[in-house]
Amino acid sequence: MQQGIDQAARHILETNDKGGFTVPTSGLYPYQWNWDSVFVALGFAQFDPARACREIETLFEAQWDDGFVPHIIFRRDDPDYFPGPSFWQAGAKLPSSGITQPPVAATAIRMLRDTTADTAVRERIDALFKPVLEWHRWFMRYRVPESCGAVVITHPWESGRDNSPEWDAAAANIDVSQVGPYTRRDLAHADADMRPTKLDYDRYVALVEFGRDTGWDHGAIATGGPFRVADVGMTMILLRAMRDLIALAEATGHSDDIDELESYVVRLNRGVEYLWNAESDTFCSRDTITGAHSGFVTSASFLYAYADAGTPEQRAKMAAHWHRISSRVEYMVPSHDPDDVLFDHRRYWRGPVWIVVNYMIAIGFREQGLDDWADRVRSDSQRMIREHGFSEAFSPLDAGGTGGTNFSWTAAMWLAWCGQGS
Ligand code: DGY
């Protein structure tokens, strides 16, 4: 049984491998996605470290001169996906989107480096230090203002948590009156009740049009864009990645960069404070235009442990949320608070469990000595996959698969984490 699941997971990665890069799943997502690739690399590392390294190298092939790394790389035009390259009109060396995604690369590269004995692969991993450093600098220049210290996203897609209720209030201010007709392709591949709504999509399209009209000028988008929300997920992920990059700098002889990186850690820690909402007693996202907190407890809130963030008092409040939520759902960790009216156990980031987020949450809990919580996250993840296969995401109530199937990052997480020794 175990061997069968391991083989099935490996088969998904090999089938979705399009030659140096892996698509998240065929049909629904036919290109290379930024954070998907990084998690997928951790899966490949279990049986082919050189291929794992290649996945991250191909991601950075699309890096722009200013350090920016896009969230999608379009190596060809595929009618299965909207919006494609002709809509984005972005890219430097390769056609791409003009927005980014959660910066998990430094953390994964550090893990790959620590676990590979192959010196040739190690040299290639070390060569990724500078490109990742440039990407982090890009974040600090354009997306982490001194005023708040948190990572400010300019499109919900950048968060990776596309339709989280965290964006609803800020997105309501996006003008969709000029959005022309377009045809969604996602609904040909997944049930409409598992996907974002038409209004969500109108807003996504309006934001792409805004960025495109600036010629993808990230400075202009950061200061004048209609959607600028400090994202709790991105902030926790970048804070952790910054520390992992410091460790990589030490290990690879880049000690000259360490002072700069430490100053970024200080700024991001201020960002964590900016994201604490004393009313809801949680870390959550915050609209930088209005100053309003979302007030929601999401799975991203629990990334405080992964980022080693928060005071003892804040951690105690998060513990109360953990106990409340874990008694409400069968499978942890729901992407949205099950006690909130907007919770929807099947709709994308409004309730379903995402295995990659569980992975990061479990790493954080383990590091903080919260072993019971880490064990619960891991065993729930394992059960969901055993019971329902390699879905994109899972209902926290009944583990029913939601979204796409044969999903690369779910398979990768089985191999690299929750399926190990099961
Ligand atoms: C989509 O198309 O649903 C993606 O999540 C955008 O990144």
Side-chain angles (χ1 to χ4, degrees), residues 80-82 182-188 191-192 194-202 204-205 347:
D80 260 343
Y81 185 79
F82 172 83
Y182 62 89
T183 306
R184 284 176 68 170
R185 301 288 176 193
D186 58 316
L187 298 181
D191 290 357
M194 297 175 178
R195 293 289 302 169
T197 63
K198 157 98 174 91
L199 179 58
D200 290 329
Y201 254 80
D202 283 353
Y204 300 156
V205 170
R347 197 181 285 281

Side-chain angles (χ1 to χ4, degrees), residues 26-95:
S26 65
L28 188 58
Y29 303 118
Y31 300 110
Q32 182 174 19
W33 259 261
N34 186 322
W35 71 330
D36 289 73
S37 264
V38 174
F39 288 113
V40 159
L42 297 176
F44 274 121
Q46 306 307 312
F47 58 94
D48 187 349
R51 178 63 189 79
C53 186
R54 186 79 197 116
E55 187 76 28
I56 301 182
E57 287 169 345
T58 56
L59 172 62
F60 279 86
E61 279 171 7
Q63 186 164 36
W64 298 12
D65 287 344
D66 64 358
F68 167 82
V69 184
H71 100 297
I72 309 176
I73 305 167
F74 304 110
R75 286 192 168 75
R76 60 197 152 79
D77 208 347
D78 194 313
D80 260 343
Y81 185 79
F82 172 83
S86 56
F87 197 86
W88 283 92
Q89 296 172 25
K93 295 159 202 124
L94 291 167

